[in-house]
Amino acid sequence: MYTLYGFKGSGSAAVELALELAELPYRLVDAASWEPGSAVDELQRLNPLRQIPTLRLPDGSILTESAAILLHLGLAHPSARLLPVDPNPRAQAIRGLVFIAANCYAAIGVIDFPERWCIDADDAVKEQIREGARQRLHSYWEIFADTYSDTYSASPFLNGATPGALDLLAAVVSKWSGARLHLERMRPAFFKLIESVEVHPKVAPAWRRHWDI
């Protein structure tokens, strides 16, 4: 059985959704560095960065980083179709997972914690950092939407006929820092795709544990 360390409304939602889609047994452990009373001490023993999601695999080993976890689940359970079967679409899905993790997730980290990136910054400087990172984040989402426009114009989802790992990560990470509002205005077709992910019958029940639909 898998053990997922995470928290409501956090990035662990993408992994929880993937476990649900793959119909894999797992248990949830509430753990978040910002949530007193959660299993944050246990989380730190497993992941010194205290980041979620953190996933304990059935053999007891630990896996961190959202993209790495989703890739592992897709490769370890190919019948779940979390990744495309054909090599070329699968390569593009892997590219997309890494893009979101390296660019979108990273920008959100700056927006949430600007003080980590500038020593002795006052509130005005922090807000400048936030706004610059937010603009960069929104531009990243535009690039992502444009990169995959041929995919979602030809198929219901980035994964093809059904949602997969890339759809889940895009839907979750776009919930933050005004990305959805920006995409609705600037990339409406991609925005509609993301909305269709969260209401998909196999996604919606777990999604509602994190956000309203």
Side-chain angles (χ1 to χ4, degrees), residues 5-106:
Y5 294 81
F7 206 76
K8 181 179 179 180
S10 75
S12 65
V15 176
E16 182 180 341
L17 294 167
L19 291 165
E20 289 283 348
L21 278 182
E23 299 182 351
L24 297 171
Y26 69 97
R27 71 181 184 96
L28 292 171
V29 177
D30 281 344
S33 59
W34 62 86
E35 188 64 25
S38 66
V40 68
D41 291 339
E42 182 180 351
L43 173 65
Q44 185 166 5
R45 288 193 294 272
L46 303 176
N47 182 352
L49 292 176
R50 302 197 303 171
Q51 292 177 342
I52 50 177
T54 291
L55 186 68
R56 186 192 295 273
L57 305 187
D59 68 357
S61 60
I62 302 300
L63 195 56
T64 66
E65 314 306 326
S66 296
I69 294 171
L70 292 170
L71 283 170
H72 167 75
L73 293 175
L75 294 171
H77 305 282
S79 63
R81 301 294 178 92
L82 293 173
L83 296 172
V85 174
D86 294 339
N88 288 342
R90 184 169 63 242
Q92 293 304 315
I94 293 170
R95 175 192 182 189
L97 289 168
V98 175
F99 181 98
I100 292 174
N103 297 294
C104 303
Y105 237 139

Side-chain angles (χ1 to χ4, degrees), residues 84-161:
V85 174
D86 294 339
N88 288 342
R90 184 169 63 242
Q92 293 304 315
I94 293 170
R95 175 192 182 189
L97 289 168
V98 175
F99 181 98
I100 292 174
N103 297 294
C104 303
Y105 237 139
I108 292 166
V110 176
I111 294 166
D112 289 347
F113 303 102
E115 65 277 3
R116 295 179 180 176
W117 310 98
C118 187
I119 297 173
D120 297 328
D122 60 22
D123 289 344
V125 170
K126 290 178 184 177
E127 188 51 41
Q128 285 182 312
I129 294 171
R130 287 192 187 97
E131 184 55 32
R134 190 176 295 110
Q135 290 182 17
R136 180 61 63 92
L137 170 65
H138 293 172
S139 72
Y140 287 152
W141 278 118
E142 290 181 17
I143 292 169
F144 182 91
D146 294 344
T147 299
Y148 289 90
S149 61
D150 288 346
T151 300
Y152 60 78
S153 63
S155 303
F157 300 100
L158 297 171
N159 194 58

Side-chain angles (χ1 to χ4, degrees), residues 176-197:
W176 305 317
S177 302
R180 289 283 186 96
L181 288 174
H182 181 81
L183 288 169
E184 184 177 19
R185 185 174 70 254
M186 302 302 296
R187 297 295 188 275
F190 180 62
F191 172 78
K192 289 180 180 178
L193 179 146
I194 291 173
E195 283 200 318
S196 71
V197 173

